[in-house]
Amino acid sequence: MDRKQFLTRSLKATMGAVVAGPVILHANSCASPGDPQNAPEIGPSIAGTGPLVFAQAPLPYAFAALEPHIDARTMELHYSKHHAGYVKKINEAIAEEKIDASDEVDLFARIPSWSAKARNNGGGAWNHDLFWKLMGPGNTGTPNGKVLDAINASFGSFDGFKEAFTDAAMKRFGSGWAWLVEQEGKLVIGSTPNQDNPLMADAELRGKPLLGLDVWEHAYYLNYQNKRNDYVTAWWSVVDWDVVAGRLG
Ligand code: MN
């Protein structure tokens, strides 16, 4: 696909806006990662004809923007090495296996049909794209409005919710993600192994992802070493609850 086709498809997808997930394809491949001047617009991924192509959107803030909670070096490696690797390898898998998914929702709905490479790297590409957008500098640390109402209804209180979410993050043995998902109007907390996500047909936890926390050691080890609980505690300070509100149906 050349740049013109790429831009045309991006525009069509933006106009169509049918996909529930975060943007994965982005036409502005020249932007510098970590430069807030080049923050991506938020839109859907491509749902058109031809093979699905993932692209890494520019990080919507500087690498150091989440300090002291998440350090700049961790952010740089996480975005530039780990996430970039997943994006590269899912595109390889799509080509190698001739994957005909129309968008990431379709890909994950049929993920058992394809290889571990497609599963792990497709999940890795999508999960991190969401993760970057769920964080940002200058957040209050607490939700309000409809998100707070929904959390109170499901978990009793925000503190009760944080306790249950932290428990899910701590009990995920090895690498994986903790999630808050929406299941038929109800909020549910759980976790998935590796780069699985709740959109995958055979995931341990299913639903529409509202909030996701990366608990792989690569997400925290430089700053927090083995203290995952300290990372989770600090992470609440950078969660952008407005983004969660935008995802809540
Ligand atoms: Mn990660």
Side-chain angles (χ1 to χ4, degrees):
M1 178 162 53
D2 66 27
R3 182 167 175 83
K4 188 179 169 202
Q5 288 172 305
F6 189 92
L7 290 169
T8 304
R9 288 182 58 182
S10 296
L11 181 62
K12 277 186 193 162
T14 302
M15 304 291 280
V18 291
V19 179
V23 72
I24 290 179
L25 255 172
H26 196 266
N28 186 5
S29 56
C30 303
S32 309
D35 180 351
Q37 298 301 311
N38 291 319
E41 60 185 58
I42 292 179
S45 74
I46 297 306
T49 56
L52 176 65
V53 179
F54 282 74
Q56 190 179 27
L59 197 67
Y61 36 77
F63 292 133
L66 306 183
E67 289 199 346
H69 311 292
I70 300 181
D71 64 285
R73 184 69 176 142
T74 295
M75 283 300 299
E76 182 175 4
L77 290 168
H78 202 175
Y79 176 86
S80 306
K81 304 297 179 187
H82 296 280
H83 188 203
Y86 299 130
V87 172
K88 177 172 179 280
K89 287 178 185 163
I90 181 57
N91 288 330
E92 287 175 8
I94 288 168
E96 288 160 2
E97 298 171 43
K98 298 183 170 46
I99 290 174
D100 63 351
S102 57
D103 57 42
E104 69 269 22
V105 173
D106 185 29
L107 176 75
F108 296 138
R110 293 191 282 144
I111 202 71
S113 308
W114 296 299
S115 69
K117 179 175 180 176
R119 182 186 194 100
N120 293 334
N121 292 288
W126 190 89
N127 295 351
H128 288 84
D129 186 87
L130 175 64
F131 188 52
W132 310 140
K133 290 182 180 126
L134 286 166
M135 300 187 290
N139 285 297
T140 62
T142 50
N144 54 37
K146 68 175 182 176
V147 175
L148 185 59
D149 291 346
I151 283 174
N152 286 339
S154 296
F155 309 106
S157 66
F158 182 55
D159 283 345
F161 157 75
K162 283 207 292 187
E163 195 176 318
F165 191 95
T166 301
D167 192 55
M170 294 304 296
K171 285 185 176 156
R172 170 49 56 187
F173 186 77
S175 297
W177 291 73
W179 301 98
L180 174 68
V181 302
E182 188 177 355
Q183 290 177 351
E184 294 166 6
K186 270 183 53 189
L187 299 191
V188 176
I189 287 167
S191 70
T192 54
N194 306 312
Q195 295 293 354
D196 282 10
N197 69 47
L199 297 174
M200 292 182 176
D202 54 351
E204 288 181 27
L205 172 74
R206 299 214 58 216
K208 179 183 176 184
L210 302 179
L211 183 65
L213 172 61
D214 188 344
V215 296
W216 283 57
E217 285 187 344
H218 69 221
Y220 61 88
Y221 207 86
L222 287 180
N223 198 29
Y224 296 99
Q225 294 81 50
N226 59 314
K227 300 185 286 286
R228 184 187 288 185
N229 193 70
D230 289 359
Y231 158 69
V232 177
T233 300
W235 178 71
W236 295 115
S237 299
V238 299
V239 172
D240 187 342
W241 288 101
D242 290 342
V243 175
V244 179
R247 301 181 62 77
L248 184 64

